[in-house]
Amino acid sequence: MIAATATYRRVMALSGPMLPVISFLGRLPTAMCQLGSLLLVAQTSGSLATAGLVGGALAAGQTVGGPLLGRLADRHGQRTVVLAACWFDAFAVAALVAAALARAGTLPLALIGLLAGAAVPQIGPLARTRLVALAHRAGADDRLINTALSFEGTLDETSFVLGPALVGLSATVAHPAVALALAALLLAVCGSAFALHPTATVLHPRAAGLSPGLRPRAEALPPTDGAPRPTPIADGPPAPPPDGRRARPPRARPARTPMPRAVHGMRASMALQGVIFGACQSGITALTERLHQPAQAGLVYAAMGVMSAVAGLSLALVPARITLPTRWRAAAVALVVLSVPLLFVRSLGALYPVVVVLGVAFAPHLITLFGLTERLVPAARLAESMAFLTSAVVGGQALALAAAGRLAEAHGPSAAFAVAVGAAVLILCLALGSTPARRRPAAPTPAAATPAGSGR
């Protein structure tokens, strides 16, 4: 435990103490808007169907927009992209609140929800990308990088427990609009702070003077000594122009680096994890309503999230000799074994321990997939890939909420839980059938002094 604590201190030293706080607060709106929009539209329109449509549009926007925003961050740097996205999203969420309170029609509400989802600034995936870059810049080993990903995964889990809790509290004490107004404020303030934090510059694609699509992994960060990198010259120095002005070097067209095949299997596995989330949420809601204790649904789901966060933190204790592919397979086996008891739960007393124990497998699976992605994808597409994984979870959860909710309504909670078990089995098949390649060789990284933003 002492060794794990020391490792987490090293992770915190990479970025300084302020960045994790800012990024955590910046992720809360993502966890708040889904439930907040459902409650707000349901209360103002009086239609659960309209609320579901708006919530689905928001999820669809995030599923499609997440990878696109990540790609923009890879190409143009995080600072500009996040700054634009967080303010656009803040205004979109505020517009959704205003439209709902004004009793706007279903189509305008759905369109605004779609825009609000597409503009989510993806602070969680981009924070992962930034922390990994800082770790590489500091010459960190794989163990420290895995711990950094565990730390980021724990922040995600905590935000997805606290976010809905804040929405529920706001809806109980005041109005769902209050929760979404708070989400818009957090997007504007904390999103801007995340974009303007000094560590944002370590991933600027022009920092090294190379095209982002052509830059190898070892050159994904700016030189630590501040000296510019020389530009390769193919056929000798170019002749000076007739007017004596300095010639501008030709701008290389970015090349799309191909993605390893194993990455697609990991994305599918992440989407299936979202299916498990959605199916469990539907099953838990259906069972607590059948037991005439619907208020317990949020507490049960929160307990599962807390246990998942604890499991994520404990990954720092896993020996380095246990490889990431092995961890993926072990997490997949755990998901299958620990989800089967859901099929036999009939009481609240049995639901709590079964769901809490199942949460032990969630974070290890998610964090391992992020770690494998960091190992396999080209450096110039890392932010896009991290955002793709997060969007896959959102998309899978939204689909499962719709499908498993109907099954639970027609055939009972066990039908929804059966969807979760089926998704876990498919994850195991993917883990056993995938053969992630070895880590890509990288040129030696010069030892950096103090990482940007440390000591803050």
Side-chain angles (χ1 to χ4, degrees):
M1 184 61 69
I2 296 176
T5 303
T7 306
Y8 277 112
R9 285 177 179 171
R10 291 175 61 195
V11 170
M12 293 289 290
L14 292 173
S15 62
M18 284 304 300
L19 184 62
V21 175
I22 293 169
S23 69
F24 173 73
L25 294 175
R27 307 170 209 234
L28 283 177
T30 305
M32 297 170 66
C33 286
Q34 190 72 44
L35 179 60
S37 62
L38 285 171
L39 294 179
L40 175 64
V41 176
Q43 182 168 329
T44 55
S45 69
S47 170
L48 288 176
T50 300
L53 184 61
V54 174
L58 194 147
Q62 186 174 348
T63 302
V64 175
L68 296 177
L69 193 141
R71 184 182 300 179
L72 288 174
D74 281 329
R75 288 180 176 272
H76 305 289
Q78 291 190 8
R79 177 161 290 174
T80 303
V81 173
V82 174
L83 202 58
C86 70
W87 279 98
F88 185 92
D89 201 31
F91 282 117
V93 172
L96 180 61
V97 173
L101 294 177
R103 304 286 200 285
T106 301
L107 182 59
L109 289 173
L111 289 176
I112 297 173
L114 185 69
L115 291 175
V120 169
Q122 302 296 322
I123 289 179
L126 297 182
R128 271 188 195 86
T129 307
R130 192 182 298 187
L131 192 57
V132 166
L134 289 168
H136 282 300
R137 181 181 182 181
D141 56 12
D142 289 342
R143 185 176 183 83
L144 185 62
I145 292 173
N146 290 335
T147 304
L149 292 172
S150 298
F151 178 69
E152 287 292 328
T154 302
L155 292 182
D156 277 345
E157 293 288 346
T158 306
S159 70
F160 277 99
V161 170
L162 183 58
L166 289 173
V167 173
L169 180 63
S170 300
T172 302
V173 175
H175 194 277
V178 175
L180 287 182
L182 176 61
L185 180 64
L186 288 173
L187 280 167
V189 176
C190 296
S192 298
F194 179 79
L196 297 174
H197 193 273
T199 55
T201 59
V202 300
L203 281 165
H204 198 286
R206 306 299 176 192
L210 296 172
S211 169
L214 301 176
R215 185 174 57 257
R217 181 184 182 92
E219 295 181 356
L221 298 172
T224 55
D225 57 1
R229 296 190 186 275
T231 302
I233 300 175
D235 300 313
D243 57 2
R245 290 180 298 176
R246 188 174 181 179
R248 177 178 296 180
R251 183 177 179 180
R253 185 178 181 179
R256 291 272 297 166
T257 311
M259 203 70 80
R261 290 183 179 180
V263 172
H264 304 297
M266 292 185 291
R267 290 173 174 177
S269 187
M270 192 67 89
L272 289 168
Q273 178 72 74
V275 171
I276 295 178
F277 286 149
C280 285
Q281 189 171 343
S282 297
I284 290 169
T285 302
L287 182 59
T288 53
E289 287 182 353
R290 174 175 289 188
L291 297 172
H292 306 291
Q293 299 188 62
Q296 292 289 323
L299 295 177
V300 174
Y301 207 71
M304 183 170 62
V306 170
M307 181 55 67
S308 180
V310 172
L313 283 175
S314 67
L315 286 182
L317 301 174
V318 177
R321 65 178 180 272
I322 301 178
T323 63
L324 288 173
T326 301
R327 297 183 193 187
W328 184 14
R329 297 178 186 117
V333 170
L335 284 170
V336 174
V337 172
L338 298 179
S339 63
V340 169
L342 288 171
L343 300 174
F344 308 100
V345 170
R346 298 292 184 271
S347 67
L348 197 61
L351 180 63
Y352 266 104
V354 169
V355 166
V356 168
V357 173
L358 175 59
V360 173
F362 286 164
H365 178 241
L366 295 170
I367 292 168
T368 299
L369 290 178
F370 280 119
L372 283 168
T373 298
E374 186 275 328
R375 296 286 184 88
L376 296 180
V377 304
R381 298 181 66 179
L382 184 56
E384 173 191 351
S385 300
M386 292 293 187
F388 203 114
L389 291 178
T390 303
S391 296
V393 174
V394 174
Q397 185 173 7
L399 290 174
L401 279 171
R406 289 176 178 266
L407 287 173
E409 186 176 356
H411 305 288
S414 295
F417 290 139
V419 174
V421 176
V425 171
L426 291 176
I427 288 174
L428 179 58
C429 293
L430 286 170
L432 295 176
S434 298
T435 54
R438 294 180 180 178
R439 186 185 184 97
R440 302 180 311 282
T445 304
T450 305
S454 63
R456 287 177 62 83

